[in-house]
Amino acid sequence: MAKSSLQMAEVRAGQNCVLALTGRIDSTNADELTARVNRLFAAGEKYLVVDFKEVLYLTSAAFRVLLVATDEAERSAARFALSSVFGQVRELFEMGGLLDAFTIHASREEALAQTG
Amino acid sequence: MPQLPSTTDLVIRNDIAQLAILSEAMERFGSKHALAPKLLVQLQVALDEIVSNVIKYAWPEGGSHEIRVRITFDSGKMTIEIADDGRSFDPRRAPPPEHLPAGQRPRPGGVGLHMVKQFMDSFEYARIDGWNHSTLTKAIDIRTK
């Protein structure tokens, strides 16, 4: 069995960073994602976009990570946004009542076009 | 054609990594019964939410324990039963406390169980002979093939 069903790729876009996720976010890998996001903020990232384009599935464990990341961004005086939250995954955000809890952009490009 | 009842029994340890076993079993169950992808995701999320709560909170003293899961599909109804011998806990009532930094705006506590309630038609709980039993059901449209 694969150790993790979630892949994470960091893509630099000038001063900003996109963390592109692929796969499933659940309790088995939520801690890995939290650690990665915390490391990025600790390294001084001022704008982090988490891209959901290739995310197939998530549970409330993902929401916990994102809410903690929102706080972490605030503490680090950084900005934090999500992009490409579509289809099934968007419905899960809706069902969790969390669609309004985050800044969500239609695409990674649109997210990166939002300057300070 | 009416389908015969179909049951899958699974036993996992209280180790979060073992959730993958349940997801995979649900996936196989879903393809066997030609469940729509959206429905399959909802069932997987519901199972995942309940079992991850059990793993995290049922045995505060730690140690290795069993969680028993039975998935049944019969007469257009999906039933998921989850049983553990941890401390008595009705997941419908008391969302476990979240250990999160203070001053957080939206609180994630209870979000998972809220999703379970939305996805499933019924969500029952009973404490029987020292075991917690959570039973989730959902009516499934049998798709003509």
Side-chain angles (χ1 to χ4, degrees):
Chain A
M1 197 183 311
K3 191 179 175 295
S4 177
S5 44
L6 176 68
Q7 283 89 53
M8 302 180 254
E10 283 164 36
V11 184
R12 296 240 44 100
Q15 300 279 67
N16 308 315
C17 181
V18 176
L19 183 61
L21 306 180
T22 302
R24 305 163 65 91
I25 313 170
D26 59 27
S27 321
T28 66
N29 53 39
D31 289 349
E32 275 173 64
L33 179 55
T34 297
R36 177 69 73 101
V37 168
N38 286 347
R39 204 177 328 133
L40 289 168
F41 285 128
E45 290 296 345
K46 287 300 163 206
Y47 186 27
L48 175 63
V49 177
V50 177
D51 190 82
F52 280 76
K53 191 164 175 230
E54 305 295 334
V55 174
L56 305 167
Y57 174 96
L58 52 82
T59 69
S60 64
F63 299 139
R64 208 161 291 134
V65 173
L66 298 175
L67 290 168
V68 169
T70 304
D71 277 5
E72 194 56 40
E74 199 164 85
R75 263 195 296 279
S76 315
R79 291 188 302 139
F80 179 66
L82 317 182
S83 63
S84 311
V85 181
F86 297 125
Q88 224 154 247
V89 167
R90 191 175 187 90
E91 274 178 42
L92 292 169
F93 270 80
E94 263 169 26
M95 291 295 209
L98 285 163
L99 211 44
D100 298 329
F102 307 104
T103 304
I104 303 180
H105 298 288
S107 67
R108 182 190 297 204
E109 293 71 25
E110 194 186 301
L112 292 172
Q114 309 291 315
T115 49
Chain B
M1 284 286 286
Q3 281 179 299
L4 290 173
S6 156
T7 298
T8 297
D9 279 306
L10 300 152
V11 179
I12 63 162
R13 311 300 307 175
N14 55 329
D15 170 358
I16 215 84
Q18 299 222 328
L19 282 170
I21 295 171
L22 301 182
S23 285
E24 285 161 16
M26 189 58 95
E27 194 111 25
R28 282 194 301 273
F29 205 82
S31 56
K32 182 175 166 189
H33 296 288
L35 301 184
K38 178 180 163 176
L39 180 61
L40 178 61
V41 163
Q42 294 182 351
L43 294 169
Q44 283 181 316
V45 169
L47 178 57
D48 205 309
E49 298 290 355
I50 301 286
V51 177
S52 51
N53 259 343
V54 170
I55 292 171
K56 281 188 260 181
Y57 303 107
W59 296 281
E61 74 285 4
S64 179
H65 302 274
E66 270 184 6
I67 299 163
R68 299 177 188 167
V69 176
R70 168 171 287 182
I71 307 166
T72 309
F73 186 58
D74 185 14
S75 309
K77 190 167 97 173
M78 179 75 81
T79 303
I80 303 173
E81 297 168 81
I82 299 127
D84 68 81
D85 68 350
R87 68 190 168 102
S88 178
F89 174 69
D90 181 347
R92 298 169 305 171
R93 290 218 201 103
E98 299 295 334
H99 303 286
L100 285 156
Q104 195 154 292
R105 291 161 308 267
R107 303 284 302 174
V111 171
L113 295 168
H114 173 70
M115 291 167 81
V116 173
K117 287 176 192 164
Q118 290 192 75
F119 292 153
M120 306 303 292
D121 297 338
S122 75
F123 179 4
E124 302 296 333
Y125 167 81
R127 179 84 179 172
I128 306 166
D129 296 333
W131 284 71
N132 295 306
H133 292 261
S134 291
T135 306
L136 313 174
T137 67
K138 189 173 180 77
I140 309 286
D141 288 332
I142 300 169
R143 302 197 298 177
T144 46
K145 292 184 215 152

